[in-house]
Amino acid sequence: LLDMILSIAKRFTQADGGTLYLLDPENQNLVFHVIYNESLNIRRSSKGIDLPSVPLYLSDGTKNLSNVSSYVFHTGEIINIQNVHETDRFQFDGTKKFDAALNYQSRSMVVIPMQNHEEEIIGILQLINAVDPVSGNVIAFSRDAQEKAAALASQASVILTQQMLILEMKELFEAFIKAISISIDEKSKHTGSHIE
């Protein structure tokens, strides 16, 4: 599902690359789950990604507002940057390291919160380098592309939340069954763990 969300968002916006982060509420960070880049022929999901998570809070407990993904998580704003190398609004240390390591140049970027039906942000959709279909040059993300990606992120958030709830219900059901089997086995020694 995450692969499909990022793939469709890339196609809607003519983006060369993108990443999808999901919230890890226990560790208070955003975890890379999917990363695509057409130019570099990269298509990895969570198991094949060895990139550090984005902390939502600094060591002193304040909100991390210097990282664009963390900023979008905390504010719920959509951020559209024409050129990451010409802005001092956010730190792009990770982006610059990625670019240097793979001989790539990230320029335009749109970062969108994935907000569920309860208005909780469960992830971040980040698209990189919009490509002009005629010239093949990297351009800024248009307002139309941004709106399409935001609509997709909204729908995807609802679907992801639904999938997570189904998984949680399954785990709860299995835990309930296990608890019943243990209590029956403990009450009657004649079953010899047959119930379990």
Side-chain angles (χ1 to χ4, degrees), residues 5-6 8-15 78 80 110-115 124-127 141-157:
I5 292 165
L6 186 54
I8 292 170
K10 274 181 33 30
R11 191 170 65 236
F12 278 1
T13 60
Q14 301 291 317
I78 295 173
N80 190 335
V110 65
V111 187
I112 300 166
M114 296 178 66
Q115 198 168 25
I124 300 292
L125 176 63
Q126 179 176 290
L127 299 164
F141 285 92
S142 68
R143 184 84 175 159
D144 182 54
Q146 177 182 312
E147 288 174 2
K148 285 179 182 176
L152 176 66
S154 176
Q155 292 299 312
S157 300

Side-chain angles (χ1 to χ4, degrees), residues 4-193:
M4 185 178 70
I5 292 165
L6 186 54
S7 179
I8 292 170
K10 274 181 33 30
R11 191 170 65 236
F12 278 1
T13 60
Q14 301 291 317
D16 184 47
T19 54
L20 196 147
Y21 305 87
L22 288 183
L23 171 65
D24 176 358
E26 189 176 316
N27 295 312
Q28 291 294 294
N29 58 28
L30 296 169
V31 179
F32 283 94
H33 274 270
V34 185
I35 183 169
Y36 287 171
N37 189 293
E38 292 293 323
S39 297
L40 299 173
N41 199 25
I42 295 174
R43 189 177 180 106
R44 294 187 192 141
S45 54
S46 55
K47 292 180 183 174
I49 300 174
D50 188 25
L51 295 170
S53 299
V54 177
L56 294 173
Y57 296 92
L58 302 174
S59 56
D60 63 0
T62 59
K63 293 177 180 177
N64 177 7
L65 300 176
S66 62
N67 179 286
V68 67
S69 299
S70 180
Y71 178 88
V72 168
F73 177 85
H74 287 298
T75 64
E77 288 179 43
I78 295 173
I79 299 294
N80 190 335
I81 300 170
Q82 289 186 356
N83 191 331
V84 298
H85 298 284
E86 293 177 359
T87 182
D88 56 0
R89 186 172 175 194
F90 302 104
Q91 291 178 355
F92 288 102
D93 297 340
T95 303
K96 289 174 184 174
K97 285 179 187 174
F98 177 88
D99 287 359
L102 298 170
N103 196 25
Y104 187 73
Q105 186 169 14
S106 300
R107 244 179 275 148
S108 60
M109 181 183 290
V110 65
V111 187
I112 300 166
M114 296 178 66
Q115 198 168 25
N116 67 16
H117 64 286
E118 294 176 342
E119 297 187 12
E120 298 169 330
I121 296 176
I122 62 168
I124 300 292
L125 176 63
Q126 179 176 290
L127 299 164
I128 299 167
N129 287 357
V131 178
D132 184 318
V134 177
S135 69
N137 295 329
V138 174
I139 58 173
F141 285 92
S142 68
R143 184 84 175 159
D144 182 54
Q146 177 182 312
E147 288 174 2
K148 285 179 182 176
L152 176 66
S154 176
Q155 292 299 312
S157 300
V158 172
I159 294 168
L160 280 173
T161 301
Q162 180 185 28
Q163 293 297 314
M164 287 187 245
L165 289 173
I166 290 169
L167 184 61
E168 287 172 9
M169 284 177 49
K170 182 180 177 186
E171 289 171 355
L172 180 64
F173 181 70
E174 288 175 359
F176 180 69
I177 296 293
K178 187 173 183 179
I180 289 174
S181 71
I182 289 170
S183 65
I184 291 173
D185 277 338
E186 287 185 7
K187 185 172 182 171
S188 173
K189 296 185 186 210
H190 301 290
T191 62
S193 296

